Structure formats: C-alpha cells, structure tokens
Amino acid sequence: DLRPAGLDWITSLRAPSIRALAEGGALQLGLFDERDMAAITSPDYPDERLIVCRNPELARERRRKREDLLAATEKALAVIQRAVERRHRPLRGATEIALKAGAVVDTHKMAKHFTLTISSDRFTFARKTDAIAAEAALDGFYVVRTSVPAAYLDDVATVRAYKSLAFVERAFRS
C-alpha cells in the first residue's frame, strides 16, 4: 500500500515469522557464531530487505524471564495438583480442574510450554522440553524488515533507524 505512494518503511518481524524463517531455512542460526548481524532473503518477502540481528544481552534476559515464568507456572500448577490429590475435600471434576489450570497457564502465558492431563479425579502436568528448546534457540534474535534500498540505507543504518523509531513514536505521543 505504501510503495505506490512512493513511501518506504522499516518494521520488524514478530516471533512466529522469525520461527518460520528459521524452519524454512532462510535464517541459519550458525551465521551468528562470529557476527551479530546478517542480511538474508526470503521468497516470503519479495523486494524487501531482511536484516537479522542477534543481541546476546536480550537472549540472556529472555532466557531468564522464560525460566522465571515456567517456574512460577509449575509452582501454581503443583498447588492444583495437591488439591486434586488431597484426602480432605479434594478438587474434583474435569471442568473445575481445567478451569483452575487454564487460569494458571493463561496468567503466565505458558500454555504452549506445558502438557496438561486432566480427568475427573486426576491432574498432571509436564514441560514440553522440545517446544521450550525451539523457542530458546531464537532468543536474542530480531529481524528488521524494510523496503528501503541498500543504496540509500545500508544494513547498519537501517537497524539504527529502526531502533530510533522509539524516539519518533515518543515524539508523536507528546
């Protein structure tokens, strides 16, 4: 919509799109063993530039935050599990158990990382280690997407411009 008006843009991809690039082979994580930025192409984004960046500090922070949320979720799910297993007035009913467990995983947004097994008188849970590892592999990566030709704005300048968008947005708000 912007191109016919002669406008260029800079934005970033969200996590599902980054995951799709990695799974499709366009994003090869091994490229980032020795550097923190690389330009890639993908048929899913024709006539656009994709600049993949790796931020080790962001990766550490995301890893820490995920582990904190997983631990908090497990702690809260263990309370429900003990309520189901207790002798005096146990929690019963698949619907009641599911509502409580659902509230916990929704609170911490961790439903995708746990397998819940619920019946009328039983509740168990387990981490989905493969899903957690797959998400962790992309920690610290972000992809800047733009229509601006490299002749006008090289990769480093494009990423710098993207990062400075926060200042522009703040100016619009005030």
Side-chain angles (χ1 to χ4, degrees), residues 47-58:
D47 301 323
E48 297 175 9
R49 292 172 45 220
L50 299 175
I51 304 156
V52 183
C53 304
R54 180 186 68 167
N55 181 332
E57 186 59 36
L58 179 61

Side-chain angles (χ1 to χ4, degrees), residues 47-110:
D47 301 323
E48 297 175 9
R49 292 172 45 220
L50 299 175
I51 304 156
V52 183
C53 304
R54 180 186 68 167
N55 181 332
E57 186 59 36
L58 179 61
R60 281 188 287 278
E61 177 60 20
R62 285 190 178 159
R63 197 172 304 119
R64 182 201 59 78
K65 188 174 184 178
R66 181 184 315 100
E67 190 52 47
D68 289 350
L69 290 171
L70 287 168
T73 302
E74 283 179 323
K75 184 177 179 181
L77 290 174
V79 169
I80 297 168
Q81 190 175 40
R82 286 192 300 275
V84 170
E85 294 171 352
R86 69 183 171 218
R87 291 178 192 249
H88 180 67
R89 295 184 47 207
L91 178 61
R92 290 290 182 250
T95 303
E96 292 300 316
I97 297 168
L99 287 172
K100 289 191 180 294
V104 167
V105 294
D106 188 47
T107 297
H108 299 295
K109 306 296 184 232
M110 291 282 112

Side-chain angles (χ1 to χ4, degrees), residues 21 25-27 38-52:
L21 284 173
L27 170 56
I40 65 170
T41 59
S42 170
D44 294 335
Y45 303 94
D47 301 323
E48 297 175 9
R49 292 172 45 220
L50 299 175
I51 304 156
V52 183

Side-chain angles (χ1 to χ4, degrees), residues 10 17 25 39 47 73 97 105 116 120 124 140 153 161-162 165 173:
I10 301 172
S17 298
D47 301 323
T73 302
I97 297 168
V105 294
L116 307 177
S120 62
T124 60
L153 207 57
Y162 174 75
L165 290 177
R173 282 192 300 273

